[in-house]
Amino acid sequence: MGILVVLSHFRSFSQLYQPMELVEYLSKIPLFNGLPKEQLVDLAQITVTLDRDKGQVIFSEGDEGTGFYLVLQGRIKVYKLSPGGKEQTLHIFGSGEPFGEVPVFAGKHFPANAEALEKSKVLFFPRASLIKLIEKNPSLALNMLAILARRLREFTVQIEHLSLKEVPSRLAAYLLYLSDREGGSLEVKLDITKGQLASLLGTIPETLSRIFARMNKQGIIEINGPHIKILSRPALEELVEFGSGL
Amino acid sequence: MGILVVLSHFRSFSQLYQPMELVEYLSKIPLFNGLPKEQLVDLAQITVTLDRDKGQVIFSEGDEGTGFYLVLQGRIKVYKLSPGGKEQTLHIFGSGEPFGEVPVFAGKHFPANAEALEKSKVLFFPRASLIKLIEKNPSLALNMLAILARRLREFTVQIEHLSLKEVPSRLAAYLLYLSDREGGSLEVKLDITKGQLASLLGTIPETLSRIFARMNKQGIIEINGPHIKILSRPALEELVEFGSGL
DNA sequence: GCGGTTCATTGATTTAAGTCAAATACCTTA
DNA sequence: TAAGGTATTTGACTTAAATCAATGAACCGC
């Protein structure tokens, strides 16, 4: 499996950016804030660009992790799979976000799977050179620590939701999150399919669909395909706080 | 709330170890592997030892985090609370383990609560001096990255369990974990109450009790209070893999 | 514009697990 | 050792959500 993955890196190698363009791009990524330009140049040289079509795998649970990744274009879903085939999405990463760092620092195999939700380009950073860089650059170390810490915080919330809240609460929280992300707009658009949203919320499409329908009927929201109008923000907030009532 | 916490640090200040003893102790903690001795001495000087009785709080969700902690003696439970009062334990930390690092690197408030499961002593490390130390010591940075990465991996498993596995699977996994921790012994002893175990597995005591009873009746395990004899390891492994059948 | 695939919705049913309530065992300490 | 609290177990019941099944809608490539 490990060999397969490595081969696939080279099979799909493509120099998306001219070296300097890539350096320019990397310099704007929070993770590399504060890195001296010459090190960015070095870094850019040892990366490999991978192209993935919708549905293609980046890595699978159990694969050996020889480095980590950064999304250049598209979106990458990181998820766990049950024997029965149910998926739990852990995170959906977009442009500029690093993922797959865990095996770089602890253990060596990936704890989850990653695949492209759409045609995507990702950058691969080999482990050894990253470690060397971190040893020389405290700011890089701190940036990486910040990223892992932020992710721990998010997982904390996900665990809380799965264990302590019902699906309507989780959906309400997600809608409020979307709304906040758009500066508080009351009209939001789902940028993932409802099936993917179900997986992100730890449920299945049927259940999600029913809950959308209930919220719609109760006048809390109004749905048109992926377009959702929030009619009562307070109702959503109350749902997040005290689950039931729906 | 923030002020209260800070005050309480000093209220319970106690110099458990003589400075050199403490340095000695710290030098054996994985987190500080590779730190030069003189920096351990500096570090030891700026720590504060806190005493907590069983049930006492170390920090609460939302508190401002001005540093992180290390368990010296006893055990610390880190958990989330639902409005209805149900608890989800995220982790139980024992001697030598650091906890509460998230706000040091990302955000500033704690994402969860921490309290002592028994009479405990914990060491507090102020944020600023830790950051300074990390900036000077790549090995400390990498150790810290390893710890956060390991914890991410664990959370990943917890999310998987909560979303994709039934309670019997989770219990089976926990029993196997205990067994492995004791070098594969088939007789294990719960070192937490069954109520705490329920919270760790994301369920409630009643449910856990019933499942214990079922496994007992089916001859998979044999229970005597906190002592559990594993009669069929394969049965447990199968439960982990494919939930049902119980 | 058509056929096919993927996505979404709805209904009927099952099921795991939570709730409420009460009895029992356990354990500490006065 | 007895009393009071905590932890555990068991029973009857409720419920949220999963499963199974089928239909309908949207979207894509040809």
Side-chain angles (χ1 to χ4, degrees), chain A residues 166-168 203-204 206-207 210:
Chain A
E166 306 171 342
V167 180
T203 185
I204 56 174
E206 293 96 317
T207 297
R210 288 180 227 280

Side-chain angles (χ1 to χ4, degrees), chain A residues 3-196:
Chain A
I3 289 179
L4 205 70
V5 168
V6 170
L7 284 179
S8 73
H9 287 160
F10 291 99
R11 204 186 318 133
S12 59
F13 177 97
S14 89
Q15 203 65 14
L16 168 64
Y17 293 100
Q18 295 304 311
M20 287 320 285
E21 277 185 65
L22 182 55
V23 169
E24 177 70 14
Y25 180 84
L26 292 181
S27 73
K28 290 182 186 131
I29 304 278
L31 173 59
F32 300 119
N33 257 354
L35 260 202
K37 176 146 188 184
E38 80 236 28
Q39 304 212 323
L40 278 177
V41 174
D42 291 355
L43 190 61
Q45 305 227 316
I46 48 111
T47 65
V48 179
T49 305
L50 312 175
D51 283 278
R52 287 292 182 275
D53 282 331
K54 176 176 173 171
Q56 278 195 303
V57 167
I58 322 280
F59 54 76
S60 299
E61 179 166 356
D63 284 357
E64 191 166 331
T66 57
F68 80 105
Y69 301 83
L70 183 84
V71 182
L72 288 180
Q73 286 175 17
R75 275 179 309 170
I76 308 298
K77 169 180 73 178
V78 172
Y79 62 100
K80 283 268 190 178
L81 223 43
S82 84
K86 190 186 167 191
E87 258 181 44
Q88 170 66 46
T89 299
L90 296 174
H91 208 121
I92 292 175
F93 292 99
S95 187
E97 296 188 281
F99 67 100
E101 319 87 336
V102 166
V104 170
F105 303 110
K108 49 180 196 275
H109 57 282
F110 289 108
N113 313 281
E115 75 171 55
L117 283 182
E118 54 198 67
K119 196 163 171 39
S120 302
K121 285 183 199 295
V122 304
L123 218 51
F124 175 77
F125 297 82
R127 179 178 193 280
S129 32
L130 180 75
I131 300 258
K132 248 181 279 168
L133 212 55
I134 284 180
E135 283 172 342
K136 281 197 274 242
N137 293 85
S139 68
L140 180 54
L142 287 170
N143 290 344
M144 191 57 101
L145 282 166
I147 283 169
L148 296 192
R150 212 171 305 134
R151 209 154 298 154
L152 273 174
R153 184 187 291 279
E154 289 162 8
F155 275 2
T156 274
V157 172
Q158 236 179 88
I159 290 172
E160 173 186 20
H161 281 181
L162 288 172
S163 155
L164 305 176
K165 314 247 197 204
E166 306 171 342
V167 180
S169 294
R170 300 181 221 157
L171 174 55
Y174 186 79
L175 293 177
L176 290 173
Y177 153 76
L178 279 187
S179 166
D180 290 349
R181 208 178 56 176
E182 324 265 307
S185 162
L186 292 184
E187 307 203 6
V188 299
K189 180 177 177 305
L190 297 179
D191 52 359
I192 51 178
T193 70
K194 287 176 182 172
Q196 283 154 8

